[in-house]
Amino acid sequence: MIIELQFQEIYYAKYNIMKIVVVGGGIAGYVSALMFAHRGRNENLDIEIWEDPNKQPLNVGQASIVFLPSFLWASLGINWYNNPINALPKFGILYEGWSHEEEFFSSFSMDRVGLHMCPWDLRETILNSGLVNLVQKPVEDISSVTADYIIDCRGMPDEDDLRINYFPLESPVNSVVLGKPKKSIEDTFWSRHVATKDGWCFGIPTPTQSKSYPYSYGYLYNMEITSLEEATDNFITQFDISDVTSSFSFNNYFTKEPIKDNIFLNGMRLFFLEPMEANSIETYLIWAQLCCDVVFGDLPKDTAVNILNNFIADIQDYLLFHYVYGSKYDTKFWNYASKFLSPHSRLHKVISEVKDMSWMDVTAHSGQFAQWSYWNVKQWYDSMKK
């Protein structure tokens, strides 16, 4: 083994090959590997994904906004006819029962589209592209990996690591029950975000034959306010769930050190926030692009980290903004959730800027708040303030 490693190092040095190892086989790992393959297409790269064969990521139905479809088209040629990931189009999010409105549609512009998909299908498609190599290998100690650059996507940190190396992020929800609906919603073209008396529930349109279908609904709640038994009962009753497939509690957190030497964190090793507004995949993708900028010398490390820090803070606040106006339920949870957004948030300044703008003026505005355009903020504000 030592001789083999020495030969490999000599070979890589002779032919000026940069080795990238992505540790972890979840969606963040595969998106990161694909970003390096695409961004470094004119570089001499060897990209490996090290996946623990004993750990399979949970195939929860995934949704994106508009960045991911554009990236998959540019990197793999995926389109709505050549669609190996079996994606379904997403035109926005239908909010049901938030504020005191019966429903509200948070839309993309009509010339842009997100997608719904199964992470397993995306994994298979990226592996079949030949752009990356799969190594079935568990990694407990990230320092044991030898490569020019390492992308650590091994999932949620353990409790000790979380306590020492992460900051908490604010969210009123910290638990989820996942389930399989009796009836598919794959013939709709938007995600569902439904307010409940204990929190809210997502519904992701997913083909019934997909591995994600048993996890296409998720009931988010706070375990200090609602018990698992009560949340499960409400979930089954309100959403006509045939099977509860998983349940767990989670922390909302962000790493103190996104880059350490030649190791970049991504995925749930980087941060975790509740899955509202498809915030995770887009963040994985944007951060992977910033990591490439650092590796290929286009951006200083400190600048990339500063961009990420502000981005995560803005995502947290935009999600908390969704709770400010409550819901049609006058309950302990919504009382609690409506008070989370800090009065010092930068979001208040953005709202004050856009709230009285005409629709034509705000759609022409180039402002961006995390992954959302200013017109997204106005669209939500105008609908929820009523």
Side-chain angles (χ1 to χ4, degrees):
M1 181 66 177
I2 294 174
I3 294 173
E4 181 183 338
L5 288 172
Q6 289 174 339
F7 174 79
Q8 189 180 74
E9 288 174 5
I10 294 169
Y11 179 83
Y12 279 32
K14 180 178 179 179
Y15 293 100
N16 198 27
I17 298 171
M18 181 187 293
K19 184 171 183 178
I20 310 289
V21 171
V22 179
V23 184
I27 193 166
Y30 281 92
V31 166
S32 295
L34 183 60
M35 178 60 76
F36 269 91
H38 177 64
R39 178 73 170 71
R41 59 192 176 277
N42 297 319
E43 307 287 339
N44 203 1
L45 302 182
D46 177 21
I47 304 172
E48 293 181 350
I49 296 179
W50 290 15
E51 194 175 73
D52 187 341
N54 302 312
K55 294 181 181 178
Q56 293 295 334
L58 190 62
N59 288 311
V60 180
Q62 299 281 341
S64 81
I65 58 173
V66 298
F67 304 145
L68 182 63
S70 297
F71 174 61
L72 294 178
W73 176 81
S75 58
L76 296 174
I78 291 174
N79 56 59
W80 294 110
Y81 181 78
N82 172 32
N83 183 10
I85 65 173
N86 299 308
L88 298 173
K90 173 187 172 182
F91 300 144
I93 301 171
L94 182 63
Y95 282 89
E96 303 170 50
W98 295 72
S99 183
H100 297 287
E101 299 298 306
E102 194 59 37
E103 62 182 37
F104 153 64
F105 189 63
S106 177
S107 69
F108 305 135
S109 58
M110 291 187 73
D111 63 331
R112 308 187 80 184
V113 62
L115 53 80
H116 301 109
M117 62 166 187
C118 171
W120 193 263
D121 293 333
L122 180 62
R123 171 191 182 276
E124 293 296 300
T125 300
I126 292 173
L127 287 178
N128 290 337
S129 71
L131 296 171
V132 301
N133 300 307
L134 177 63
V135 177
Q136 296 281 347
K137 184 175 185 178
V139 174
E140 294 298 329
D141 181 4
I142 198 69
S143 66
S144 67
V145 180
T146 301
D148 292 290
Y149 295 98
I150 300 159
I151 318 300
D152 187 354
C153 302
R154 290 176 296 159
M156 288 185 174
D158 62 33
E159 288 297 325
D160 287 340
D161 193 11
L162 191 65
R163 186 179 66 257
I164 297 168
N165 297 313
Y166 290 81
F167 298 110
L169 292 175
E170 296 285 356
S171 173
V173 295
N174 57 21
S175 301
V176 63
V177 184
L178 299 169
K180 176 182 177 181
K182 291 180 181 177
K183 182 181 178 182
S184 171
I185 56 170
E186 64 181 289
D187 56 347
T188 60
F189 301 108
W190 44 80
S191 302
R192 294 182 70 194
H193 282 14
V194 186
T196 70
K197 69 187 186 70
D198 304 318
W200 66 279
C201 180
F202 68 77
I204 304 295
T206 309
T208 53
Q209 71 273 17
S210 167
K211 291 185 178 182
S212 286
Y213 185 66
Y215 311 98
S216 54
Y217 269 73
Y219 192 98
L220 282 298
Y221 67 100
N222 187 294
M223 66 178 180
E224 276 80 44
I225 297 174
T226 306
S227 69
L228 172 60
E229 292 73 24
E230 186 179 0
T232 302
D233 184 58
N234 293 340
F235 184 34
I236 293 170
T237 302
Q238 187 171 346
F239 296 96
D240 205 20
I241 298 299
S242 65
D243 295 294
V244 170
T245 49
S246 183
S247 65
F248 54 91
S249 296
F250 53 83
N251 293 291
N252 296 278
Y253 57 83
F254 175 49
T255 183
K256 295 178 181 177
E257 200 167 14
I259 305 173
K260 184 176 182 180
D261 299 324
N262 67 332
I263 300 172
F264 298 75
L265 305 189
N266 206 351
M268 289 189 290
R269 187 66 52 157
L270 178 74
F271 89 110
F272 185 83
L273 263 173
E274 58 168 301
M276 191 189 297
E277 288 273 350
N279 71 85
S280 295
I281 293 180
E282 306 300 324
T283 305
Y284 302 160
L285 188 60
I286 289 167
W287 177 236
Q289 186 169 7
L290 288 169
C291 293
C292 287
D293 289 341
V294 173
V295 167
F296 298 124
D298 296 328
L299 196 66
K301 180 185 82 169
D302 291 347
T303 302
V305 170
N306 189 52
I307 291 170
L308 177 66
N309 289 343
N310 291 328
F311 193 82
I312 295 292
D314 286 350
I315 287 177
Q316 170 195 258
D317 289 354
Y318 190 67
L319 300 192
L320 293 177
F321 178 47
H322 287 56
Y323 295 97
V324 166
Y325 297 99
S327 80
K328 67 179 184 179
Y329 298 98
D330 183 13
T331 59
K332 183 178 180 180
F333 172 82
W334 286 98
N335 235 358
Y336 169 74
S338 64
K339 298 176 173 64
F340 265 68
L341 182 63
S342 167
H344 306 295
S345 170
R346 193 173 73 87
L347 181 57
H348 293 297
K349 182 179 179 181
V350 175
I351 293 170
S352 67
E353 184 178 351
V354 304
K355 67 179 183 179
D356 296 323
M357 292 176 69
S358 72
W359 185 249
M360 284 192 289
D361 284 341
V362 79
T363 55
H365 199 296
S366 60
Q368 196 82 13
F369 190 79
Q371 60 184 350
W372 299 278
S373 298
Y374 273 21
W375 56 261
N376 288 111
V377 179
K378 180 173 175 59
Q379 187 175 232
W380 178 264
Y381 174 81
D382 285 351
S383 297
M384 293 298 103
K385 70 173 183 174
K386 296 175 184 177

